[in-house]
Amino acid sequence: MKHTVLTGDRPTGPLHLGHYFGTLANRVALQGTHPMYVLIADYQVITDRDRPGAIQRNITELMLDYLAVGLDPDQVTIFQHSAIPELNQLLLPFLSLVSVAEIQRNPTVKDEIEHSSQAAVSGLMFTYPVHQAADILFCKGTLVPVGKDQLPHVEITRLIARRFNERYGRVFPEPQALMGDSPLLAGLGGGKMSKSRGNAIALSATADETAALIRKARTDSERRITFDEANRPEVANLLLLAGLCLGRSPESLAEEIGDGGAAALKSVVTEAVNEFLRPIRARRLELDPDEVRKVLLKGNEVARERAVRTLDEVRAAMGF
Ligand code: ATP
Ligand code: MG
């Protein structure tokens, strides 16, 4: 079956290994065989902070990350929220299709409110999953490569598509999520690895920065290394990270390290991550930020044209 793929990221900082194994690897694998849109969710930056911050720089860095991991602008449309008014306008009819209680139940919104830097919950934070429905449905996306934290949002999107179709006649598909090898990679201090939580290994970090981060990571006092997610989460997380980078099971790595202890574990992880990121870092250095900006302008044009058609269809279906 031919899918339309839609996914994206907030320009809040550099992409990290959680992005790679949660969603970027799937994007690279699907490009070329399916039409794909990749969204830079710039409006969503202000869901959990007062100001967009270094937004232009973050957008350029995000583009460099995309191209460095192998997204091909000839096969993928990369665009930004703020350049597509018609996408954002879909938020109005979509908000009318969900109840406040349904939004309130969303576990990811609850988690993000907890980690937000704002004293009060803004209306935008509260409703951003509905905005994400507009992101996915503006291009009639059917497949959404995302991490586990996004599953409740894909569910809301399906609900909105279904209700819209029931009320106004069939316009939208009901998209499905596609999870990667690691749907919820933990950060170095535990919890979800996140750009905004200071616990991430960035794809663009240098080898030395990566080594320093891993050196500081917590382990435990038991010498022998074993893979035990329930009782030894810090050690297990490091083993998982190295395993993902090496394409090996964390159990087999634990067995190999055995009595080498935390020091040997950290040197295995550092080596694995740095080897894995070496070609990505090298490609990044070859990219020209001016060319990258042109890619984004072109993507914005293509996405806008798509959004105009969908909004026309929505207005016609609703009788406006
Ligand atoms: P922020 O902390 O600013 O929200 P983030 O690290 O959560 O940043 P997002 O831009 O919110 O990154 O998420 C982009 C995509 O990457 C989403 O599909 C999300 O599910 C996925 N993703 C983010 N972090 C992880 C992770 N630790 N493991 C797996 N997937 C992840
Ligand atoms: Mg996030």
Side-chain angles (χ1 to χ4, degrees):
M1 172 182 168
K2 197 87 172 167
H3 278 292
T4 296
V5 182
L6 177 289
T7 184
D9 314 274
R10 299 201 305 158
T12 44
L15 295 183
H16 50 69
L17 287 168
H19 293 113
Y20 190 88
F21 295 111
T23 156
L24 294 172
N26 271 334
R27 300 181 198 178
V28 174
L30 289 166
Q31 71 180 346
T33 44
H34 304 272
M36 187 183 300
Y37 294 85
V38 172
L39 162 70
I40 296 181
D42 51 3
Y43 272 150
Q44 282 177 10
V45 171
I46 47 172
T47 53
D48 63 354
R49 60 205 78 195
D50 293 339
R51 292 181 178 79
I55 190 84
Q56 295 308 332
R57 198 186 72 214
N58 285 345
I59 289 173
T60 304
E61 293 292 316
L62 195 54
M63 292 291 298
L64 292 172
D65 283 335
Y66 287 159
L67 302 184
V69 298
L71 283 183
D72 175 358
D74 290 333
Q75 322 230 35
V76 177
T77 299
I78 305 174
F79 70 101
Q80 60 195 122
H81 261 156
S82 61
I84 323 287
E86 294 78 7
L87 180 159
N88 293 292
Q89 197 175 321
L90 290 174
L91 185 59
L92 288 171
F94 287 2
L95 278 170
S96 78
L97 295 166
V98 282
S99 70
V100 170
E102 278 162 344
I103 299 178
Q104 251 161 353
R105 275 201 291 274
N106 188 303
T108 298
V109 173
K110 284 186 195 160
D111 182 60
E112 298 198 344
I113 286 172
E114 208 172 294
H115 288 90
S116 160
S117 67
Q118 294 183 304
V121 179
S122 73
L124 187 62
M125 163 64 97
F126 193 64
T127 54
Y128 90 83
V130 184
H131 196 205
Q132 273 185 226
D135 297 340
I136 297 170
L137 296 176
F138 96 95
C139 63
K140 303 196 179 180
T142 57
L143 193 64
V144 194
V146 280
K148 196 173 169 196
D149 58 311
Q150 298 297 312
L151 294 186
H153 304 344
V154 177
E155 252 342 287
I156 286 198
T157 303
R158 294 167 62 84
L159 187 73
I160 287 172
R162 196 156 58 240
R163 287 193 184 147
F164 187 96
N165 294 343
E166 278 162 14
R167 253 177 233 187
Y168 302 114
R170 199 190 139 80
V171 170
F172 293 113
E174 279 182 46
Q176 63 193 73
L178 175 71
M179 291 212 277
D181 288 343
S182 176
L184 187 63
L185 190 67
L188 287 175
K192 181 179 107 63
M193 185 180 282
S194 279
K195 296 186 221 97
S196 316
R197 299 184 194 177
N199 64 356
I201 299 179
L203 303 177
S204 55
T206 66
D208 287 346
E209 285 163 353
T210 304
L213 283 170
I214 294 169
R215 204 176 311 120
K216 275 195 311 207
R218 275 239 312 265
T219 51
D220 56 35
S221 54
E222 213 173 306
R223 170 123 195 125
R224 190 174 167 73
I225 297 300
T226 54
F227 181 64
D228 180 349
E229 284 188 284
N231 299 307
R232 307 183 68 187
E234 294 95 351
V235 168
N237 185 29
L238 288 171
L239 288 165
L240 278 166
L241 200 57
L244 285 165
C245 290
L246 294 167
R248 286 184 53 182
S249 76
E251 290 88 351
S252 77
L253 281 173
E255 207 150 295
E256 204 171 282
I257 299 164
D259 289 325
L265 169 64
K266 286 185 177 182
S267 103
V268 166
V269 178
T270 304
E271 174 79 12
V273 171
N274 277 335
E275 271 312 304
F276 180 79
L277 290 179
R278 193 186 306 282
I280 296 176
R281 290 168 179 157
R283 261 200 305 275
R284 203 174 204 283
L285 288 176
E286 288 165 10
L287 296 166
D288 171 1
D290 288 334
E291 282 305 309
V292 158
R293 270 186 285 276
K294 282 186 207 151
V295 168
L296 183 57
L297 290 178
K298 179 79 201 350
N300 284 344
E301 254 173 55
V302 174
R304 180 143 194 212
E305 188 268 334
R306 185 72 193 84
V308 166
R309 276 192 284 140
T310 300
L311 184 63
D312 278 349
E313 213 181 322
V314 161
R315 277 195 280 215
M318 296 176 76
F320 283 127

